[in-house]
Amino acid sequence: RYADVSGLAVGHLGGSQEMKRLCVIPGDGIGHEVVPSAVRVLERLMPSLQVTEAEAGWECFQRHGCSVPDTTLKLMREYGAGLFGAVSSPAHRVEGYRSAILTLRQDLKLSVSLRPVRSWPGLSTRMDVNLLILRENSEGLYVGHEHMASADMAIAERHISRQASEHVAQRAAEVARLRDSQRITLVHKANVLPLTCGLFRDSCRNVLAAEGLAGLVDERLVDVAALQLIERPQDFDLLVTTNLFGDILSDLACYWSGGLGLAPSLNWGRGIAIAEPVHGSAPDIAGSGKANPLAAILSAALLLRYHWHAGLLADQLERAVELLLTELSVAELGDQTTDIIERELLKRL
Ligand code: GGG
């Protein structure tokens, strides 16, 4: 349906709206099923979408000796918008291998990850959750600077910069205005890590004050935030936090929206973004047609809303998902096969 990494053939169908270009990177495992499904849904909403496929991931590394080829980075920079599926990284160290998704986030400076958590009919055990976690996406413990100081001592560095912390706060200010947020919670552990977490917190506070939003800002230690996300998730609106804390808290919080299989995200840079379901490559069900494409589809909705500023299309897509989940129970969706969910969603768009 669309091009290979050469970028020659494209799925350009014409249409009246401004043409957008999307680089799709299925990656590994079920990425090959959920990404094409999400692309077909996006194409229904944006008939003129120009789609080109590119490679990345473990399968790509096995083929080419590189987890993210330069052609993929080039295409992403040119298109400015991507939809990534999933990657499987080996559990042991492999010479020359670097996680594809971490490479894309770092090389393309996708330095904020948006992770919304909201209640969905039929899937959520409570219907009053609607929060958004903004996770710093480029540094923290995930810079990957680990070494053995001795045979018995492994050390990992945690990098927190003023620039990256200010950037996530600036994006939080944009999102707060879009959502008409009433509360912005900075999550850190500055009592134990006063230099790194202190710099993060103070940089965020300064930016949000300069944006005139100081009145909305409060703070939580990360352990307290974790407890309160379980006790009273309805009290949160925007949470702004560092890389590792955001990774953990967003996985925890997505319990309220039906679990990891339903969790969308957007890797967000300046003028460039990659939508990405939070789930992994699920090799156990890959190829069976059982993968649920909703996380990839909802990730595409984030691309529409925050990167392409197409809020009405994002609303339309999220409403269709809501309708689908209201009208059809998980049992009626059978094995939740990719095809059934896509077909039922398209009927409701
Ligand atoms: N779509 C997110 C995803 O693929 N998660 C799996 C993951 O991040 N694995 C670690 C890695 O391969 O870097």
Side-chain angles (χ1 to χ4, degrees):
R1 172 68 189 81
Y2 39 78
D4 67 7
V5 70
S6 67
L8 295 176
V10 291
H12 181 196
L13 299 178
S16 58
Q17 71 212 62
E18 186 200 338
M19 196 185 71
K20 299 281 187 225
R21 297 195 292 178
L22 180 71
C23 171
V24 301
I25 311 172
D28 300 319
I30 61 168
H32 293 287
E33 292 151 67
V34 297
V35 165
S37 181
V39 168
R40 286 187 289 271
V41 170
L42 258 186
E43 285 177 329
R44 173 70 67 85
L45 287 169
M46 308 174 81
S48 67
L49 186 67
Q50 179 183 319
V51 179
T52 305
E53 184 170 329
E55 285 185 291
W58 175 240
E59 293 163 21
C60 172
F61 179 80
Q62 288 173 307
R63 271 195 299 274
H64 306 299
C66 167
S67 61
V68 183
D70 286 346
T71 43
T72 299
L73 289 170
K74 184 165 176 284
L75 201 67
M76 261 310 307
R77 287 198 177 96
E78 196 185 321
Y79 279 27
L83 176 60
F84 182 87
V87 279
S88 343
S89 287
H92 53 280
R93 195 182 177 125
V94 173
E95 193 55 39
Y97 179 79
R98 191 174 162 220
S99 161
I101 188 61
L102 292 187
T103 303
L104 286 164
R105 287 173 189 162
Q106 283 164 5
D107 289 13
L108 299 174
K109 299 193 170 36
L110 304 172
S111 51
V112 175
S113 175
L114 283 188
R115 300 201 164 199
V117 176
R118 55 157 286 184
S119 304
W120 290 108
L123 294 176
S124 304
T125 51
R126 53 189 301 159
M127 288 309 294
D128 55 357
V129 182
N130 186 359
L131 60 91
L132 183 54
I133 297 178
L134 284 98
R135 161 187 168 191
E136 200 294 317
N137 209 27
S138 65
E139 54 179 29
L141 272 169
Y142 289 7
V143 289
H145 290 202
E146 287 190 302
H147 68 275
M148 297 300 296
S150 73
D152 301 316
M153 173 65 77
I155 292 183
E157 290 174 23
R158 181 174 196 240
H159 293 199
I160 300 287
S161 68
R162 187 182 306 282
Q163 192 187 27
S165 306
E166 287 179 351
H167 184 210
V168 68
Q170 269 149 9
R171 297 325 285 252
E174 283 171 43
V175 172
R177 292 203 175 90
L178 261 180
R179 281 169 63 97
D180 196 17
S181 292
Q182 299 306 308
R183 186 178 175 201
I184 304 174
T185 308
L186 305 179
V187 179
H188 57 76
K189 190 75 181 175
N191 55 341
V192 174
L193 300 165
L195 292 186
T196 48
C197 273
L199 179 61
F200 176 79
R201 178 200 53 201
D202 296 346
S203 306
C204 289
R205 273 203 176 273
N206 289 341
V207 167
L208 292 166
E211 293 282 343
L213 299 173
L216 302 185
V217 179
D218 69 1
E219 294 180 28
R220 287 290 177 280
L221 296 176
V222 63
D223 45 330
V224 178
L227 176 64
Q228 293 183 345
L229 279 168
I230 298 299
E231 279 183 344
R232 34 180 209 274
Q234 75 280 10
D235 287 356
F236 288 99
D237 185 339
L238 292 189
L239 290 94
V240 184
T241 191
T242 55
N243 206 341
L244 177 66
F245 295 163
D247 191 0
I248 296 169
L249 290 183
S250 58
D251 279 15
L252 178 150
C254 78
Y255 171 80
W256 297 121
S257 56
L260 214 52
L262 262 288
S265 80
L266 184 70
N267 299 287
W268 204 18
R270 289 273 174 223
I272 184 164
I274 298 184
E276 178 202 355
V278 175
H279 63 69
S281 60
D284 53 328
I285 57 161
S288 69
K290 288 183 182 173
N292 186 333
L294 285 178
I297 290 166
L298 290 169
S299 301
L302 295 177
L303 195 63
L304 285 167
R305 187 180 305 284
Y306 293 104
H307 184 61
W308 283 331
H309 308 292
L312 291 178
L313 291 182
D315 287 346
Q316 192 182 339
L317 183 48
E318 288 175 357
R319 263 199 311 271
V321 172
E322 193 164 349
L323 207 57
L324 168 83
L325 295 171
T326 304
E327 292 174 355
L328 296 178
S329 69
V330 170
E332 283 168 307
L333 290 170
D335 257 347
Q336 295 197 338
T337 60
T338 320
D339 287 353
I340 294 175
I341 292 176
E342 178 188 324
R343 190 185 65 220
E344 292 299 328
L345 185 66
L346 287 172
K347 278 190 210 163
R348 291 166 174 81
L349 260 185

